[in-house]
Amino acid sequence: MTRAWELIFGIYVLAVAALLMPVGSLLIILTPGLANRRRLAKYLAKLLLLGAGCHPRIQGLQRLPAGACVVVANHASYLDGVLMKAVLPPRFSFVIKKEARAIPVGGFMLARLGSEFVDRTDGHAGARDAKRIFRAAIDGQALGFFPEGTFVKAPGLRQFRLGAFITACRAGIPVVPVVIRGTRRMLPSGAWLPRPSALSVEVLAAVQPDGADRRSAMNLRDAVRQQLLAELQEPDLGAKTNPP
């Protein structure tokens, strides 16, 4: 594929996003009812991908439990959130770092979608956030996490934070690994111009926690991470450095 075509494609996708995202954000903010806003967000995410000429391949959606669960996915690009919103049922709440709340308009829109914000810089605030998310899981919420916390340009799976797995263990709900492919090629870290790429999402078999303590959460994290590594087939960037 020529560089000129990639440039044309990137400018076109940016134009589609520039038209759709402000209007979509405003509609989400103004729409009454959380369920209605989430359905609208799913529709808009699918429309954005369609407008960009993307038709993601989706496998294994039938593996998602009907009730409360924790979905964890690899994180490779800013596009991951859009793709997951387009693919997962609208009932999912995404757990997002607190800094996203400061994004003009976007932060308010995320709050209106019922997103759960987590403070990773203040221990006391982070503990309060963790308790709130745990209560949401106990109440039957379906939660989505990117346990790497961030992404980098180089291919590979980074270390996993433990929060998603502690939540699953204490609430006694399954963790569902999800493999995202193609988003790093389309919009890698540090890039502003999207490139053509095939996108896919694969939902793997759910993993049940074997206890409610911290050791059980660490075992669950490691088991899920190994599943993702096996299917993703990218380098292991954090095998010996998984944080507590």
Side-chain angles (χ1 to χ4, degrees):
M1 187 170 293
T2 66
R3 177 61 181 164
W5 166 244
E6 287 190 352
L7 181 63
I8 292 169
F9 174 86
I11 293 172
Y12 165 73
V13 172
L14 287 183
V16 169
L19 288 172
L20 186 59
M21 291 182 70
V23 175
S25 297
L26 184 60
L27 286 173
I28 289 170
I29 289 170
L30 296 178
T31 297
L34 179 58
N36 292 332
R37 290 193 291 272
R38 286 177 171 173
R39 284 193 292 268
L40 176 60
K42 179 179 176 67
Y43 171 78
L44 291 171
K46 293 172 72 173
L47 187 62
L48 178 59
L49 293 175
L50 182 63
C54 300
H55 302 275
R57 182 186 179 194
I58 305 166
Q59 297 175 279
L61 272 182
Q62 73 280 0
R63 296 188 177 119
L64 285 174
C69 64
V70 167
V71 160
V72 298
N74 59 298
H75 202 11
S77 168
Y78 285 117
L79 293 174
D80 296 336
V82 176
L83 184 57
M84 290 287 276
K85 178 58 74 174
V87 168
L88 292 181
R91 62 191 174 90
F92 275 85
S93 298
F94 287 87
V95 179
I96 304 170
K97 60 185 178 181
K98 184 196 71 173
E99 290 84 349
R101 197 160 199 165
I103 299 172
V105 182
F108 186 47
M109 179 197 67
L110 291 170
R112 290 282 283 167
L113 289 173
S115 302
E116 299 285 354
F117 295 95
V118 178
D119 193 328
R120 293 174 178 166
T121 60
D122 184 313
H124 293 294
R128 288 197 302 271
D129 294 336
K131 289 179 181 178
R132 189 186 68 250
I133 293 168
F134 169 68
R135 287 195 299 269
I138 288 292
D139 290 341
Q141 283 271 14
L143 300 169
F145 288 78
F146 293 108
E148 291 169 275
T150 188
F151 56 88
V152 293
K153 186 174 183 178
L157 194 66
R158 291 166 58 86
Q159 59 193 24
F160 276 11
R161 296 177 180 272
L162 200 54
F165 308 97
I166 289 177
T167 298
C169 285
R170 291 182 178 173
I173 58 178
V175 173
V176 184
V178 172
V179 180
I180 296 173
R181 300 183 180 93
T183 55
R184 181 180 277 111
R185 170 168 173 74
M186 179 169 277
L187 192 65
S189 177
W192 61 273
L193 201 63
R195 296 183 298 179
S197 176
L199 303 181
S200 71
V201 174
E202 183 178 2
V203 180
L204 306 182
V207 182
Q208 294 287 343
D210 61 4
D213 60 2
R214 189 177 185 85
R215 174 51 59 184
S216 297
M218 294 173 70
N219 291 340
L220 182 61
R221 174 193 64 187
D222 295 344
V224 168
R225 193 169 180 279
Q226 285 304 311
Q227 271 193 274
L228 283 171
L229 273 171
E231 294 297 330
L232 190 59
Q233 296 185 346
E234 288 187 354
D236 186 346
L237 301 182
K240 298 181 179 179
T241 55
N242 274 330

